[in-house]
DNA sequence: GGAGCTTACGTCTCTCGTAACGATT
DNA sequence: AATCGTTACGAGAGACGTAAGCTCC
């Protein structure tokens, strides 16, 4: 499970469209399709209902989307907080 | 920023000892040392005070440790929840 | 001198993009 | 016929382990 895969998943979950998301993320369509599929295989969970032509987020996918989105936001905040503390370093007289 | 790097950071932050943590994680000492350093370089923040022989977690490091630990737990929970929903799939008559 | 962190280097795995295919509308 | 998702393959980048160097107790 890679961090980038999780970001990719969030974007695809919002649009339910790989081609469109690939353009937005500036990566190729196959690379994005593979990332999502490998994530599902590794976790042993299918997040999308596939009919060989389109994707639809299922209940597991919706749950995962919600939880992972919060986790990613938390990581972003952790970085921002650390950088802020780093800026203040030595600012106390 | 890799997910594995964050896990490594959490472990090293707890012990403040790379060698010991490397044995526990079953990776080499240099690989672990590099992972931590690369994480710091990428984020532009130093998490440890170094005196060329030992490490000590600084305020930025403590903040990051706390926040990232919660984020990683949230990711774990997200996976568990998704798997649970997957098991229940089709269980409703 | 022993314990600990870092740098150098070769190898190997993995990810990506291009190309080709199958399916659906 | 056109659009969308998936698979195949070659190339490039990245991560790890071994070996070597340097510092502190």
């Amino acid at each position: 499970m890679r961090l980038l895969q999780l970001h990719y998943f969030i974007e695809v979950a919002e649009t339910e469209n790989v081609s469109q998301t690939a353009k937005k993320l500036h990566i190729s369509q196959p690379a994005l399709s593979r990332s999502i599929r490998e994530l599902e295989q590794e976790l042993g969970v299918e997040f999308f209902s596939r009919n060989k032509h389109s994707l639809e987020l299922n209940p597991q996918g919706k749950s995962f989307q919600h939880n992972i989105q919060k986790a990613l936001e938390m990581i972003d905040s952790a970085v921002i907080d650390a950088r802020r503390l780093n800026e203040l370093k030595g600012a106390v007289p």
Side-chain angles (χ1 to χ4, degrees), chain A:
Chain A
M1 181 167 53
R2 289 174 298 140
L3 210 46
L4 205 51
Q5 275 179 321
L6 298 178
H7 282 286
Y8 288 168
F9 167 78
I10 293 296
E11 295 293 331
V12 174
E14 282 183 358
T15 62
E16 295 183 329
N17 184 317
V18 175
S19 315
Q20 182 182 333
T21 307
K23 289 179 185 172
K24 178 180 176 184
L25 297 177
H26 302 98
I27 63 173
S28 71
Q29 190 178 97
L32 183 56
S33 180
R34 257 176 299 154
S35 281
I36 301 296
R37 182 166 282 278
E38 287 170 358
L39 178 63
E40 291 177 304
Q41 287 180 352
E42 181 179 347
L43 301 183
V45 179
E46 296 233 328
F47 296 129
F48 296 93
S49 304
R50 292 172 164 81
N51 64 357
K52 290 292 182 185
H53 182 60
S54 66
L55 299 181
E56 189 179 358
L57 205 60
N58 62 23
Q60 299 95 287
K62 289 180 182 175
S63 164
F64 199 66
Q65 175 190 23
H66 181 248
N67 292 327
I68 290 298
Q69 194 150 21
K70 287 197 301 183
L72 293 182
E73 287 170 1
M74 190 168 296
I75 292 177
D76 287 344
S77 299
V79 173
I80 292 172
D81 286 359
R83 286 198 175 125
R84 183 182 303 137
L85 285 173
N86 201 52
E87 296 296 329
L88 294 176
K89 187 179 52 183
V92 181

